[in-house]
């Protein structure tokens, strides 16, 4: 019998840490300026004055206290409010490939593998900096990996959807060792001009090395997590949208640039998605014959602290202890598909061999992905 195991994880974190206070200060300056510049239209009732942001609101509503961004200066400049990214030549490594390599190298070192031992790479993330050539193929070349590589996008669920693809490829004998990479440069899609959205996201990139172990193989030395099962589900919703796409320049009438950034009806998302996720996980665990009291950890998608607490409480029938449902969104904010993987990367200590855990993402689409894991070797 073959099994698929996780052998290592890696994380790239940008240097630019931004607190809520810094973000609020910059948006307050920009908002006061915007209201002043548009005072005439506001007085005539043609435009609504913009309300000022509040750091207190951010923590209370989301649990986010801080985030990392690829360019702190550009994001905090009240006259710019977006990262400044140097345009690179075609012979240079792209930014997303660069952060993938950083995370991949850590994951490979943990797995005790080199790039040329990898024969499948899937890059899954909410925003790709270009349609092609695939970022994954660029990474494949830089690592000297073989086999195949491709990019995919299922928004915040891109990591778990990529994992299921890779698990299927490994189980099906199409690859032997794989990398799943999640280069989330969310500061490029964040609307830093509006208080509803400016605090939500942060940048990061995660990497996971997976391998197939066949019966009779000498097991590789080091930590290993067996993937017991994966499950994906989608249900259409307009509550989270990003309309940036290649047809934008062709559209008539043209859209304003801010209409091509991330937007959501956050309250409705939280209300609709939390029970869907709890039920999805309850059913996935039940079908796999794993009672909830055997689950030692829930590495949940990191968008909103209240949502995660509600999901864990529904599943456990009580409040989760902090170590049972680790939180990283306080420091990283919502890093889209990377969030649950960062929680797994950072908080998988203290679990014994044989014990089970769950990795779960959810977001736009709607989409939900869950991965059931069992610690195989320490
Ligand atoms: N500072 C101060 N006030 C703010 C604010 C800010 N930064 N942002 C919004 N507000 C105001 C709103 O304008 C609203 O004012 P009103 O009552 O006068 O209309 C009020 O605060 C409540 O806004 P609301 O959007 O209902 O807050 P919320 O409690 O739902 O929190 C989110 C907003 C986004 C934090 C929360 O809904 C959320 O995280 N949802 C889940 C998102 C998610 O999981 N997405 C999927 C992954 S991307």
């Amino acid at each position: 019998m073959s099994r698929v195991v996780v052998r290592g994880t890696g994380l790239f974190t940008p240097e630019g840490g931004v607190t809520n206070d810094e973000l609020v200060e910059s948006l307050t300056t920009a908002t006061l300026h915007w209201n002043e510049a548009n005072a005439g239209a506001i007085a005539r009732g043609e435009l609504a004055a913009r309300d000022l942001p509040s750091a207190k609101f951010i923590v209370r509503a989301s649990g986010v206290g801080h985030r990392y961004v690829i360019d702190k200066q550009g994001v905090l400049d009240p006259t710019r409010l977006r990262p400044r990214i140097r345009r690179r030549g075609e012979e240079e490594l792209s930014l997303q490939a660069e952060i993938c390599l950083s995370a991949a190298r850590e994951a490979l070192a943990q797995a005790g593998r080199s790039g040329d031992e990898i024969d499948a790479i899937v890059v899954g993330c909410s925003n790709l900096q270009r349609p092609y050539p695939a970022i994954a193929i660029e990474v494949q070349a830089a690592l000297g990996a073989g086999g195949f590589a491709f990019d995919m996008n299922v928004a915040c669920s891109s990591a778990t959807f990529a994992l299921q693809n890779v698990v299927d490829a490994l189980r099906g004998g199409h690859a032997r060792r794989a990398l799943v990479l999640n280069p989330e440069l969310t500061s490029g899609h964040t609307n830093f001009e509006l208080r509803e959205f400016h605090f939500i996201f942060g940048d990061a990139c995660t990497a996971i090395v997976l391998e197939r172990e066949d019966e009779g193989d000498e097991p590789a030395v080091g930590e290993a997590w067996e993937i017991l099962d994966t499950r994906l589900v989608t249900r259409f919703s307009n509550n989270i949208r990003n309309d940036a796409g290649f047809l934008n320049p062709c559209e008539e009438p043209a859209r304003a640039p801010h209409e091509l950034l991330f937007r959501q009806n956050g309250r409705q998302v939280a209300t609709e998605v939390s029970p869907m996720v709890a039920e999805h996980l309850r059913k996935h665990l039940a079908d796999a014959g794993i009672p909830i009291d055997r689950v030692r950890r829930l590495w949940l998608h990191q968008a909103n602290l209240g949502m995660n607490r509600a999901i864990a409480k529904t599943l456990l029938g009580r409040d989760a202890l902090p170590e049972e449902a680790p939180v990283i969104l306080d420091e990283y904010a919502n890093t889209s598909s990377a969030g649950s993987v960062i929680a797994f990367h950072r908080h998988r200590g203290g679990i014994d061999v044989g014990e089970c855990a769950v990795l779960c993402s959810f977001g736009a689409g709607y989409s939900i992905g869950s991965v059931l894991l069992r610690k195989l070797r320490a």
Side-chain angles (χ1 to χ4, degrees):
M1 249 287 277
S2 298
R3 61 183 160 216
V4 173
V5 297
V6 171
R7 294 282 333 286
T9 57
L11 169 64
F12 165 81
T13 303
E15 281 173 14
V18 177
T19 64
N20 287 347
D21 285 340
E22 288 177 297
L23 208 56
V24 164
E25 188 186 334
S26 134
L27 181 56
T28 299
T29 305
T31 304
L32 291 172
H33 183 261
W34 190 91
N35 285 343
E36 202 181 297
N38 291 287
I42 292 167
R44 289 191 299 277
E46 292 160 15
L47 283 175
R50 287 183 180 171
D51 294 318
L52 296 180
S54 136
K56 236 191 214 164
F57 169 88
I58 298 171
V59 174
R60 200 182 55 233
S62 69
V64 171
H66 178 273
R67 75 282 299 140
Y68 299 94
V69 294
I70 204 75
D71 176 45
K72 176 172 176 168
Q73 228 184 353
V75 163
L76 289 183
D77 177 350
T79 64
R80 181 174 175 89
L81 299 180
R82 72 172 73 101
R84 186 174 279 103
I85 290 166
R86 182 180 65 83
R87 185 170 159 181
R88 300 184 182 198
E90 288 182 9
E91 301 311 314
E92 288 182 90
L93 205 59
S94 68
L95 180 56
Q96 268 182 318
E98 184 178 291
I99 66 174
C100 279
L101 282 172
S102 170
R105 288 196 174 112
E106 184 184 359
L108 287 166
Q110 218 175 72
R113 298 291 181 196
S114 55
D116 59 4
E117 292 180 281
I118 297 294
D119 57 1
I121 299 178
V122 179
V123 165
C125 60
S126 288
N127 297 280
L128 287 156
Q129 70 179 88
R130 61 170 187 255
Y132 45 81
I135 303 296
I137 301 178
E138 197 182 352
V139 173
Q140 177 192 30
L143 284 176
F148 63 91
F150 62 90
D151 297 343
M152 53 171 277
N153 176 1
V154 194
C156 289
S157 296
S158 296
T160 50
F161 276 60
L163 277 168
Q164 178 165 304
N165 269 278
V166 157
V167 169
D168 289 348
L170 292 166
R171 286 217 173 102
H174 304 298
R176 177 81 206 197
R177 290 190 195 96
L179 256 174
V180 167
L181 301 165
N182 313 106
E184 293 289 4
L185 293 173
T186 62
S187 59
H189 84 182
T190 300
N191 189 339
F192 289 105
E193 289 182 31
L194 294 180
R195 70 173 190 171
E196 292 90 324
F197 306 122
H198 78 130
F199 63 89
I200 293 175
F201 289 102
D203 298 333
C205 179
T206 46
I208 306 176
V209 174
L210 298 109
E211 302 186 359
R212 193 180 74 237
E213 293 188 347
D214 297 326
E215 207 170 333
D217 282 357
E218 179 75 22
V221 179
E223 190 188 5
W225 292 79
E226 181 179 6
I227 298 208
L228 300 173
D229 198 28
T230 58
R231 183 172 291 183
L232 312 178
V233 67
T234 51
R235 198 189 85 192
F236 186 72
S237 167
N238 275 318
N239 282 327
I240 315 172
R241 287 193 71 100
N242 183 339
D243 284 305
F246 78 106
L247 290 179
N248 296 141
C250 316
E251 277 186 335
E252 289 177 4
R255 298 189 212 212
H258 74 265
E259 291 179 287
L260 304 175
L261 296 169
F262 169 92
R263 60 200 156 90
Q264 69 173 356
N265 299 317
R267 180 61 62 96
Q268 223 170 322
V269 172
T271 308
E272 291 178 4
V273 172
S274 304
M276 275 171 70
V277 173
E279 180 56 17
H280 173 92
L281 289 177
R282 189 199 63 73
K283 195 141 191 323
H284 194 185
L285 285 164
D287 291 349
I290 302 172
I292 187 65
D293 58 12
R294 271 192 58 210
V295 175
R296 283 295 308 279
R297 209 144 296 176
L298 298 167
W299 296 295
L300 298 177
H301 176 51
Q302 301 282 318
N304 183 291
L305 187 56
M307 273 177 92
N308 285 13
R309 284 186 175 151
I311 291 164
K313 188 170 183 175
T314 306
L315 275 172
L316 297 168
R318 57 172 171 81
D319 289 329
L321 300 170
E323 63 271 23
E324 288 176 313
V327 176
I328 60 98
L329 63 84
D330 51 346
E331 179 186 349
Y332 277 81
N334 181 347
T335 51
S336 196
S337 68
S340 55
V341 185
I342 299 175
F344 173 52
H345 175 77
R346 283 260 188 106
H347 297 284
R348 61 176 188 259
I351 299 181
D352 294 331
V353 167
E355 290 184 321
C356 296
V358 174
L359 179 89
C360 177
S361 63
F362 40 88
Y366 296 135
S367 55
I368 304 173
S370 50
V371 180
L372 309 184
L373 298 123
R374 186 170 66 94
K375 189 158 176 180
L376 191 64
R377 296 191 294 274

